[in-house]
Each structure stands twice: as structure tokens, then as C-alpha cells.
């Protein structure tokens, strides 16, 4: 039974504290769209997405109007295209990206994820062709997102893929130089990627998922910030308990939307991902939460501990609210999308090295970070390898979404607008890791991966 008090609390969270359903994402399997002829395969892909997701946007808008809950994005994730295209004889897989982009625009979604490859232990011919197609694919499409999983706790880290992804990121920045390297904002490199993530740019519909499903991502940094503002001077365990209760209420909102969308679209309800995904809007910042806990600025000593407590409390509250919590679920720390993170980066309080430490205890990793355009491919690969190592050793998902901004140096700014926000160009270490990266090979899986 939902009490009147619960209803009023939820309305206040929506109206004053930036609570929203960040995304309703339909996952679609494209495994039956494989064909030796790339044109036939692309036609099957386009037709299936339009058929299954044709009412997704309308349903999201109807739910938004009926419940008064903002649903910011409507998205689609698909089977990693490297799998769908494996039997195609074409060298370039860019036509798949064009088909995905056309389908996304036809049904009206904001983003479509799944121009992806899973190469944590090695790459097939299809994987290699997809990776080589990424720069052109992201340059020639508007809403298609790409991801590559280069490592896992079970397999170790594919350093050949890590090396190549550093180069691919540089090529993608050059291919979209007229937009500040924007293509890189649609490209994520993962370790331990999950199959049911509804958030872009890393969403894809994993091979273990059903034919079609609805996943919902809920966000509420402003709600959590508001909840702890009245607790100044209180001990940290009481703050953690408050965050947990708040996360419970936020997750309930996501579950309501997911169940309704599932019923109306006639597809299974997958998961609710409770991730504190910030926006550039004032009052919708993870950094503000950490500073409310007692930090002068994000990046100060104690930042990692405060973030660990926040992330854990969010997960505990979410799990209590729904048996379908999945995806990433936790606190995101994208620099460009969080007004407090931007402020700390500009002041010098927050550096990439501190962000790396923070990623040990939160979702997902080094996210939406702008670096100088002359940053070498090897340095980018080294940053990817470091994040992948954190994920592999700690059995968690980590990722890198980094933008080497063409023509920009430290202190510059990349303005992407909307939810993607503004990224201050941050310094990277001047010391080289090229000799290590050029070795290639594979970093073996850790001893604790042997659990059978």
C-alpha cells in the first residue's frame, strides 16, 4: 500500500530535487539478423528495431504524462554488432552503423548502443572489423554509441586490444575534429562489461539476455543531496542509513515505470539500474553530495572513503526496493556531466589520478574526461589498462570514456551541451608508457578468478 505521505515525498523529489527516470531502454536481440550479405543483414537490423521499438518513445511519453515522472531519454540497446556481422563478407561494418542510426531516428530514440565487441580474451574477424570501423562509424552517425570490452576478472586483460583502442580513440577524435572530438563521447572501453546496462554510451544487449526487454535507469543525486543536508554534524553511519532509505524510494519509482512500460509494450521487465548519474544542472551533482558529507572540495583527502560509503548505501537501498536491480547501480562520476566535478577540476582540486582512485569504489570509471589533443595513443592505452586492472582485480565494472580534444591544451574547454555538459581539459602524466603498451599480449587473470 502506497501512503499519502509516500506520494507527497515522491512529488517533492520530482519537483524540487531533480529526481527523474534518466532512461527507459529497450534491449533487442539481433542475432537472427545475421546474413552473409551485409545489405540484407542491415535491412533485417533496421526492420527488427523499427518493429519492436516503434512504440517505445510514445509509451515513455505517455508514462511521463500520466505519472508526472520525467523520463529524460528513450533509448535502444542491441546485440553487439560484431556478433551479428560475423558471417558478413564485407570488410567495413560502417553500413551497420548507418542502419542503426536510421532506425534510431525513425523510432525517435535519443541514443542507440551496441556497435560493440567483446574481446577480453581475444578477437574474432568480426570483432577486428568492428573495432577498425569505429572512427568512421561514429563520425558518420549521430546517435549510435560504441563500446569494446577489453578485459574481465575471468579472462584477464587483452593488451593487444588495449593498445589498439588507444589508437582508435585518437582516430575517432580526428574524424570528429570539427566537433571537438565528439565521437569519443560515444565510445566506451570496458572491463567486466555488464549485459543489461541501460546507460549510454556503454549499453548493449548481451548474448545472455532475452529476445527483447525493458531496462530502466533511475537517477537522483539531487534527492540524496537534499536528504543529507539536514544531517550536518551527524555521524557517518547515520548519513549512510539516510542515503539507503532515499535510494529505496528512488528505486521504487524506477520499478513502477519499468513494470508499466513492460506491460504496455508487451515485453519482459529486465532490470532497474539505480545509478546516481549527474547532470550539469545546479543541484544534480554527485560532487555536491560528497562535499555535503564534509569535504571542502571533491578531490580532498577523504574523497574516496566518502564515495565508497555513498556507493554502498545506494546499492543497499536499491536491492531492498527491487529484486530486479541490475546494470551498474551506484554513483557515476563523469566530469563533464557534473557541475561540482567540473568546478573541482577547474580549480585543480580534482586530477585524473584522484579520479582513478575514486573509480575503485564506484560505478563505472574514468568517464567523460577531456585531455589535450596531443595526448599520445600510448598514454590513452595506459589509462585504459590502469582502469581495466582496477576492474579485473576488484571484480567490478570499470570503463574509460576519454576525449583527446583536437587543438586543445590544458585549461581549455570542450562544450558538448545538453546532458553531456562541458569538460575542462585536464592534464595527463607527461611520462611515457609506450614501451609497455607496445609489448601487447595479455595480462593473465588474477588468482581469485579460479573459483570453480
Amino acid at each position: 500500500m502506497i501512503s499519502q505521505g509516500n506520494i507527497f515525498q515522491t512529488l517533492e523529489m520530482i519537483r524540487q530535487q531533480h529526481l527523474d527516470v534518466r532512461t527507459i531502454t529497450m534491449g533487442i536481440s539481433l542475432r537472427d539478423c545475421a546474413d552473409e550479405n551485409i545489405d540484407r543483414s542491415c535491412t533485417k537490423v533496421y526492420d527488427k528495431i523499427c518493429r519492436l521499438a516503434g512504440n517505445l518513445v510514445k509509451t515513455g511519453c505517455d508514462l511521463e504524462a500520466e505519472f508526472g515522472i520525467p523520463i529524460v531519454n528513450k533509448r535502444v540497446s542491441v546485440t553487439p554488432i560484431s556478433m551479428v556481422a560475423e558471417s558478413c563478407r564485407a570488410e567495413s561494418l560502417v553500413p551497420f552503423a548507418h542502419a542503426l542510426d536510421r532506425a534510431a531516428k525513425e523510432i525517435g530514440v535519443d541514443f542507440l548502443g551496441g556497435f560493440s565487441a567483446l574481446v577480453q580474451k581475444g578477437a574474432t574477424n568480426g570483432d577486428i572489423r568492428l573495432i577498425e570501423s569505429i572512427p568512421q562509424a561514429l563520425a558518420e552517425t549521430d546517435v549510435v554509441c560504441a563500446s569494446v570490452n577489453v578485459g574481465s576478472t575471468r579472462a584477464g586483460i587483452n593488451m593487444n586490444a588495449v593498445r589498439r583502442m588507444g589508437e582508435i580513440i585518437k582516430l575517432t577524435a580526428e574524424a570528429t575534429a570539427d566537433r571537438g572530438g565528439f565521437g569519443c563521447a560515444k565510445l566506451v572501453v570496458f572491463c567486466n562489461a555488464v549485459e543489461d546496462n541501460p546507460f549510454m554510451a556503454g549499453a548493449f544487449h548481451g548474448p545472455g539476455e532475452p529476445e527483447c526487454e525493458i531496462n530502466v535507469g533511475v537517477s537522483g543525486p539531487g534527492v540524496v543531496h537534499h536528504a543529507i543536508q539536514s544531517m550536518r554534524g551527524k555521524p557517518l553511519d547515520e548519513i549512510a542509513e539516510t542515503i539507503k532509505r532515499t535510494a529505496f524510494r528512488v528505486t521504487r519509482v524506477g520499478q513502477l515505470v519499468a513494470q508499466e512500460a513492460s506491460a504496455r509494450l508487451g515485453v519482459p521487465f529486465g532490470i532497474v539500474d539505480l545509478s546516481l548519474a549527474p547532470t550539469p544542472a545546479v543541484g544534480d551533482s554527485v560532487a555536491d553530495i560528497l562535499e555535503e558529507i564534509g569535504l571542502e572540495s571533491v578531490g580532498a583527502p577523504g574523497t574516496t572513503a566518502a564515495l565508497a560509503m555513498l556507493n554502498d548505501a545506494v546499492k543497499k537501498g536499491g536491492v531492498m526496493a527491487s529484486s530486479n536491480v541490475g546494470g551498474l547501480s551506484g554513483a557515476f562520476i563523469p566530469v563533464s556531466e557534473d557541475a561540482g566535478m567540473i568546478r573541482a577540476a577547474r580549480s585543480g582540486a580534482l586530477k585524473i589520478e584522484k579520479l582513478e582512485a575514486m573509480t575503485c569504489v564506484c560505478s563505472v570509471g574514468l568517464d567523460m574526461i577531456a585531455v589535450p589533443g596531443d595526448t599520445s595513443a600510448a598514454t590513452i592505452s595506459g589509462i585504459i589498462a590502469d582502469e581495466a586492472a582496477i576492474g579485473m582485480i576488484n571484480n567490478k565494472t570499470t570503463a574509460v570514456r576519454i576525449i583527446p580534444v583536437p587543438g586543445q591544451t590544458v585549461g581549455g574547454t570542450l562544450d558538448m551541451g545538453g546532458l553531456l555538459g562541458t569538460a575542462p581539459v585536464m592534464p595527463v602524466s607527461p611520462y611515457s608508457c609506450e614501451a609497455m603498451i607496445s609489448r601487447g599480449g595479455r595480462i593473465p587473470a588474477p588468482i581469485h578468478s579460479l573459483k570453480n
Side-chain angles (χ1 to χ4, degrees):
M1 178 69 70
I2 300 175
S3 70
Q4 189 178 55
N6 292 144
I7 294 171
F8 287 148
Q9 279 184 331
T10 302
L11 290 173
E12 183 183 7
M13 289 191 295
I14 293 168
R15 292 171 180 169
Q16 300 180 18
Q17 300 162 25
H18 302 281
L19 172 64
D20 58 48
V21 171
R22 186 57 47 86
T23 177
I24 178 172
T25 302
M26 177 178 282
I28 299 174
S29 172
L30 299 180
R31 287 154 64 180
D32 58 349
C33 297
D35 196 293
E36 286 188 358
N37 182 285
I38 191 169
D39 293 330
R40 284 199 300 264
S41 188
C42 287
T43 298
K44 292 178 183 179
V45 165
Y46 175 88
D47 289 345
K48 186 168 187 181
I49 293 171
C50 291
R51 174 168 54 85
L52 293 180
N55 290 323
L56 176 64
V57 172
K58 180 182 182 301
T59 300
C61 292
D62 288 347
L63 291 173
E64 191 172 14
E66 290 176 33
F67 295 123
I69 301 169
I71 301 176
V72 180
N73 285 285
K74 293 82 177 175
R75 300 165 173 172
V76 166
S77 63
V78 299
T79 305
I81 290 298
S82 66
M83 296 180 179
V84 181
E86 192 72 56
S87 60
C88 289
R89 295 174 179 174
E91 283 302 311
S92 171
L93 302 187
V94 172
F96 280 98
H98 290 160
L100 295 173
D101 204 49
R102 289 196 305 273
K105 290 173 179 175
E106 175 64 26
I107 62 178
V109 294
D110 301 282
F111 287 105
L112 188 151
F115 197 76
S116 307
L118 310 178
V119 296
Q120 56 267 25
K121 200 170 184 180
T124 66
N125 290 331
D127 295 327
I128 293 168
R129 285 181 291 156
L130 182 128
I131 289 171
E132 296 304 317
S133 300
I134 285 174
Q136 183 182 352
L138 296 184
E140 295 181 359
T141 59
D142 296 316
V143 298
V144 171
C145 295
S147 60
V148 178
N149 191 70
V150 299
S152 72
T153 299
R154 193 73 180 170
I157 303 172
N158 181 348
M159 290 301 292
N160 293 324
V162 168
R163 178 177 60 193
R164 187 57 182 150
M165 286 312 300
E167 298 164 351
I168 291 294
I169 288 170
K170 288 284 289 183
L171 291 170
T172 302
E174 293 166 8
T176 55
D178 59 329
R179 288 165 282 168
F182 176 71
C184 297
K186 301 188 293 173
L187 173 58
V188 184
V189 184
F190 277 115
C191 177
N192 287 323
V194 298
E195 298 188 1
D196 55 7
N197 167 28
F199 285 99
M200 300 296 169
F204 62 86
H205 188 69
E209 299 296 304
E211 180 73 7
C212 186
E213 67 183 347
I214 287 292
N215 298 319
V216 166
V218 188
S219 181
V223 179
V224 173
H225 182 224
H226 178 83
I228 65 174
Q229 279 182 316
S230 62
M231 301 192 68
R232 291 174 185 171
K234 300 289 185 181
L236 292 174
D237 53 338
E238 293 185 22
I239 291 177
E241 188 65 25
T242 297
I243 294 170
K244 187 169 68 175
R245 288 197 300 269
T246 304
F248 178 93
R249 294 200 301 271
V250 170
T251 305
R252 283 295 200 193
V253 171
Q255 174 140 319
L256 170 65
V257 170
Q259 288 175 331
E260 283 293 322
S262 169
R264 296 184 188 195
L265 290 166
V267 299
F269 164 28
I271 58 94
V272 175
D273 184 325
L274 172 59
S275 290
L276 298 186
T279 71
V282 175
D284 199 28
S285 163
V286 170
D288 286 351
I289 298 172
L290 300 177
E291 290 172 6
E292 187 63 40
I293 289 172
L295 304 173
E296 181 180 359
S297 172
V298 171
T303 297
T304 305
L307 183 59
M309 181 188 72
L310 170 64
N311 204 61
D312 180 66
V314 165
K315 288 178 183 289
K316 287 174 178 173
V319 168
M320 288 295 292
S322 172
S323 59
N324 292 74
V325 170
L328 299 168
S329 290
F332 287 2
I333 52 170
V335 174
S336 76
E337 300 171 10
D338 187 309
M341 297 288 179
I342 295 170
R343 182 176 63 246
R346 283 180 172 156
S347 71
L350 185 63
K351 300 184 183 299
I352 289 179
E353 291 77 12
K354 184 60 176 178
L355 279 165
E356 182 183 304
M358 294 163 67
T359 64
C360 296
V361 298
C362 77
S363 308
V364 168
L366 295 173
D367 195 16
M368 291 302 288
I369 293 172
V371 297
D374 62 0
T375 303
S376 71
T379 293
I380 294 172
S381 293
I383 292 170
I384 293 169
D386 284 344
E387 268 309 299
I390 290 171
M392 176 186 70
I393 295 296
N394 292 292
N395 197 26
K396 71 183 295 292
T397 303
T398 53
V400 172
R401 185 161 48 148
I402 191 168
I403 307 166
V405 188
Q408 287 275 17
T409 58
V410 174
T413 298
L414 173 63
D415 188 356
M416 291 165 285
L419 284 176
L420 296 178
T422 301
V425 179
M426 301 176 71
V428 297
S429 173
Y431 298 99
S432 175
C433 61
E434 188 164 1
M436 173 190 167
I437 297 300
S438 65
R439 290 178 182 271
R442 184 160 63 95
I443 294 178
I447 187 65
H448 58 259
S449 70
L450 302 176
K451 293 182 177 179
N452 286 343

